[in-house]
Amino acid sequence: MAPPLITHLYTADPSAHVFDGKLYIYPSHDRETDIQFNDNGDQYDMTDYHVFSLDSLSSYTSDSSEAPKVTDHGVVLSAEQVPWVSRQLWAPDAACRKGKYYLYFPARDANSVFRIGVAAGDSPTGPFAPEPEPIPGSFSIDPASFVNDDADESAYLYFGGLWGGQLQCYQGGNAPEHFDAAWLGPQEPSGPGAKALFPKVAKLADDMRSFEGPVRDLVILAPETGEPIEADDHDRRFFEAAWMHKYRGRYYFSYSTGDSHYLVYAVGDGPLGPFTYAGRLLEPVLGWTTHHSVVEFEGRWWLFHHDCELSNGVNHLRSVKVKELFYDGEGRISTVKPE
């Protein structure tokens, strides 16, 4: 079993990016708590973010028994720095555009409703200065930023998470004013004919601190029908942990299926979709949650993820790991190198 990359802290939800030839990891920072496990996720009571970096993975393989050297750059943002945050700094992500760095993060506001915030800095290791209010129009959790390689460096934010992430509370519309508290907790649409709830996407404005236009559904289709995935299809429906990457001109949207514990992916021809389900990235790991990122580094592709091996299975004390990914000739992904 692959070793954890970081052992002096518990870390999870790793968002990995390559900036200026170095790989940076932006994870959640898990901590000990006496809050009992529940499906609302209250035990995931994180209060700050660290940034980590790797100089190289050139000699590392998925079978390596020793982890590569990782540098901890310390705390780059804490809850007490953000006026609107009440608690729970969950899975973050980062972006670089036009020489500026941005850290996107979800947290509960004063009403215990999840919103998404942004903080900016001049270095990939921070410090990051937060905006005093959440991004207008944002809601739910798990922001994932994607800066395209087009001439405009167009940028997008993907987000959403069911149950404790509150995505099911916005069935009336893709805006904060549509929040419906009756849907709080571990519930979602179900039954014959019900369609799975979609993750959300918004184009980021040039300032990277606001949305340019409305929040949209990111449609995920079942390949056998060409229709949206069914709500009861828990092995394939979106639950949380959005991620976007691009390979040979096609767009890969990957995510967690939550209570069935898979990491899966769908493929499309543009950053706004639609996307068609294509397969699994990772089977269930030790621990309830699974969350990841996909990045190319030094000419190889990598899946950063987490499990609870280091904590002996404590669900809210997780550790970041990495596996190599491979593509076949048709762009399908596997963690097993083809012969």
Side-chain angles (χ1 to χ4, degrees):
M1 188 173 289
L5 295 180
I6 300 157
T7 56
H8 66 291
L9 298 173
Y10 288 112
T11 53
D13 313 318
S15 292
H17 292 273
V18 176
F19 298 134
D20 296 326
K22 182 179 285 192
L23 192 144
Y24 294 88
I25 308 169
Y26 301 83
S28 303
H29 175 199
D30 288 349
R31 63 176 189 152
E32 301 271 5
T33 176
D34 57 5
I35 300 171
Q36 294 300 304
F37 176 88
N38 61 62
D39 288 330
N40 203 44
D42 295 327
Q43 67 275 18
Y44 300 100
D45 190 32
M46 298 89 101
T47 61
D48 61 27
Y49 297 115
H50 287 237
V51 175
F52 302 85
S53 65
L54 279 162
D55 289 327
S56 179
L57 283 169
S58 61
S59 60
Y60 186 78
T61 71
S62 296
D63 298 323
S64 297
S65 59
E66 291 188 12
K69 181 183 176 182
V70 176
T71 300
D72 181 358
H73 297 277
V75 174
V76 297
L77 186 70
S78 61
E80 62 189 17
Q81 294 175 260
V82 190
W84 64 268
V85 168
S86 66
R87 60 191 173 100
Q88 289 185 297
L89 292 181
W90 281 8
D93 192 21
C96 178
R97 186 170 183 269
K98 297 183 178 179
K100 196 83 171 177
Y101 296 88
Y102 303 90
L103 185 69
Y104 297 95
F105 58 93
R108 292 183 188 266
D109 65 14
N111 297 314
S112 204
V113 174
F114 272 107
R115 302 290 302 277
I116 295 170
V118 58
D122 296 319
S123 163
T125 58
F128 293 96
E131 294 293 304
E133 299 291 339
I135 296 173
S138 70
F139 55 92
S140 196
I141 62 168
D142 289 359
S145 57
F146 173 73
V147 179
N148 212 342
D149 56 5
D150 55 14
D152 295 331
E153 291 185 83
S154 54
Y156 304 86
L157 197 70
Y158 304 84
F159 57 93
L162 292 172
W163 298 11
Q166 303 175 349
L167 181 62
Q168 70 278 2
C169 297
Y170 296 91
Q171 295 177 61
N174 291 335
E177 58 266 27
H178 294 290
F179 178 79
D180 182 357
W183 279 92
L184 283 170
Q187 54 181 329
E188 60 187 285
S190 63
K195 301 300 183 183
L197 297 178
F198 295 123
K200 307 304 178 184
V201 59
K203 192 173 189 296
L204 286 163
D206 194 58
D207 65 3
M208 297 290 281
R209 296 169 170 87
S210 59
F211 295 153
E212 182 182 293
V215 173
R216 301 170 49 154
D217 290 338
L218 192 81
V219 176
I220 304 172
L221 305 173
E224 70 277 11
T225 64
E227 296 295 324
I229 288 175
E230 300 285 333
D232 288 341
D233 186 355
H234 284 211
D235 285 352
R236 298 191 299 178
R237 67 89 166 85
F238 174 83
F239 187 91
E240 63 185 1
W243 186 260
M244 180 67 74
H245 76 277
K246 194 174 181 180
Y247 176 75
R248 294 186 176 177
R250 302 206 75 196
Y251 296 81
Y252 287 69
F253 180 76
S254 46
Y255 56 96
S256 166
T257 61
D259 57 344
S260 54
H261 315 294
Y262 299 114
L263 288 178
V264 302
Y265 70 101
V267 183
D269 294 320
L272 298 175
F275 287 82
T276 300
Y277 179 89
R280 293 179 185 170
L281 291 177
L282 192 68
E283 297 296 310
V285 298
L286 180 61
W288 200 95
T289 68
T290 187
H291 195 125
H292 70 298
S293 56
V294 176
V295 66
E296 185 180 18
F297 183 47
E298 300 176 324
R300 296 156 72 189
W301 284 89
W302 301 94
L303 172 70
F304 285 80
H305 64 101
H306 68 239
D307 68 19
C308 298
E309 180 191 4
L310 188 63
S311 68
N312 295 312
V314 179
N315 282 320
H316 65 276
L317 298 177
R318 301 160 292 179
S319 298
V320 170
K321 294 187 172 183
V322 63
K323 296 174 73 77
E324 191 168 2
L325 288 180
F326 305 93
Y327 297 84
D328 69 13
E330 297 184 1
R332 291 184 293 253
I333 301 177
S334 173
T335 57
V336 178
K337 189 173 184 177
E339 297 295 335

